[in-house]
Amino acid sequence: MEAIRIERLSKTFSNGRKALDEIDLRVAPGEMVALIGASGSGKSTLLRHIAGFAVSDPQPSRIAILGRPIQENGRLVREVRRIRRDIGFVFQQFNLVNRLSVEANVLIGALARLPFWRRITGRFPRSERALSLAALGEVGIAEHARERAATLSGGQQQRAALARALVQRARIVLADEPIASLDPESSRRVMDMLRNLNRDHGLTVLVSLHQVDIAMQYCPRTVALRRGKVVYDGPSAALTPALLQQLYGDEARELLEEPASSDAALSPQQATPPDPTNPDTDAPSPQQRYAFALDPARLA
């Protein structure tokens, strides 16, 4: 069973522009995959369709999450909200509520499993509050739990968004250019966190990126989009400048831009994520996947 399976996905905007063109894609559980492409290639549009935030053209197509369809033939399924519980979406602009505390923003990830009266009153159980603090500790910003989200730096806000995905207990993380607005050091920390979610907690990660060198450093596999089509799907290590020039022509310059500062290169450390195709590799158990706080009752 694939974590993500996409068949014949197309999207045409009202102005007639084809944003996605017959996309077929499979992502196995436990993979960390980069999605690259120049501006306007369809990366964000594809991620929004996977999450069920947008619907495809009304023609034969299908997107399934962990074996369950989330949309078919241009229509969302009735169970879309239930399926979305397994998807943590990390936005480029963080998507935090600035006036709320960091802890309250992270607790939003728990709303789907709480009774209605707790949602509208904001009265979270002690177990969920303990879980949120554990998640903030996991991403290294527990000391900011009581501060307003607006007071955090961009990198800290993005880490709070990752903590929210942990509290949500998502099994898949979709990250839409999560480091596009960050400085080099914050970018490194956020990418390290995404890799930790994949490596240590067994989460499937699909992250859109604007620079190939970062994709090569963090993601064993890269899917390249150009004008709404998949033009490459394979090992990140094979994405040489020559191949990118062949795939993108002049647009390759945008993907090969050097960071503005010599300090902008991210950490050279490499990590080997779980190989879902290797039967000798033990898949993380639920206890390992949420080792930091699997059972909120134990933290009450």
Side-chain angles (χ1 to χ4, degrees):
M1 176 184 68
E2 295 95 354
I4 302 170
R5 181 166 184 169
I6 304 172
E7 300 173 356
R8 300 187 62 189
L9 179 67
S10 294
K11 178 66 174 184
T12 307
F13 289 142
S14 57
N15 62 5
R17 184 173 75 85
K18 198 84 168 179
L20 299 173
D21 191 357
E22 294 285 324
I23 298 288
D24 285 285
L25 181 65
R26 298 183 184 187
V27 178
E31 277 196 282
M32 183 164 180
V33 181
L35 190 62
I36 67 168
S39 299
S41 61
K43 302 187 300 296
S44 296
T45 303
L46 178 57
L47 290 177
R48 288 179 60 81
H49 279 73
I50 295 172
F53 297 155
V55 295
S56 66
D57 292 343
Q59 63 186 46
S61 64
R62 187 173 187 265
I63 300 177
I65 302 297
L66 298 167
R68 299 168 296 171
I70 191 169
Q71 64 171 281
E72 293 181 298
N73 307 329
R75 292 189 176 186
L76 296 175
V77 300
R78 290 184 178 180
E79 301 82 12
V80 61
R81 291 185 180 179
R82 186 177 306 160
I83 296 170
R84 279 199 197 120
R85 295 179 187 177
D86 286 325
I87 303 173
F89 202 101
V90 179
F91 297 85
Q92 179 179 338
Q93 296 302 327
F94 322 130
N95 232 37
L96 301 182
V97 183
N98 285 334
R99 62 183 175 82
L100 296 181
S101 69
V102 176
E103 180 188 24
N105 272 280
V106 172
L107 280 166
I108 290 173
L111 287 177
R113 60 179 177 266
L114 295 180
F116 179 73
W117 72 270
R118 286 193 180 274
R119 296 184 213 170
I120 61 174
T121 61
R123 298 184 63 180
F124 292 91
R126 288 177 57 194
S127 58
E128 296 293 356
R129 291 189 178 276
L131 184 64
S132 71
L133 291 175
L136 286 169
E138 180 82 359
V139 300
I141 56 171
E143 67 274 17
H144 300 291
R146 303 289 189 262
E147 299 174 18
R148 290 175 63 239
T151 66
L152 300 186
S153 68
Q156 290 169 333
Q157 289 193 48
Q158 200 61 289
R159 284 190 276 166
L162 293 175
R164 182 174 56 197
L166 280 173
V167 168
Q168 182 183 332
R169 296 180 176 175
R171 298 167 66 185
I172 298 170
V173 173
L174 305 177
D176 187 8
E177 298 205 22
I179 62 173
S181 304
L182 304 182
D183 61 81
E185 177 60 20
S186 296
S187 297
R188 181 191 65 77
R189 289 184 178 182
V190 168
M191 289 305 301
D192 284 349
M193 290 297 169
L194 283 171
R195 183 166 59 188
N196 290 344
L197 293 181
N198 170 254
R199 180 188 60 195
D200 299 337
H201 298 296
L203 304 189
T204 303
V205 177
L206 180 59
V207 52
S208 68
L209 297 166
H210 216 63
Q211 288 181 315
V212 174
D213 60 333
I214 300 175
M216 294 176 68
Q217 187 173 323
Y218 285 91
C219 303
R221 174 186 171 196
T222 291
V223 175
L225 295 180
R226 186 186 187 198
R227 299 174 186 174
K229 290 187 176 183
V230 175
V231 294
Y232 177 84
D233 184 353
S236 301
L239 287 171
T240 62
L243 177 57
L244 289 168
Q245 183 68 34
Q246 178 183 340
L247 295 174
Y248 287 100
D250 291 340
E251 294 178 5
R253 296 178 184 176
E254 186 176 336
L255 302 174
L256 292 168
E257 287 177 349
E258 291 295 329
S261 166
S262 59
D263 296 329
L266 304 191
S267 168
Q269 298 175 355
Q270 297 292 334
T272 304
D275 182 357
T277 64
N278 184 355
D280 296 327
T281 301
D282 292 332
S285 67
Q287 288 78 10
Q288 292 170 320
R289 179 177 294 120
Y290 298 106
F292 69 97
L294 172 68
D295 184 1
R298 293 173 58 187
L299 300 174

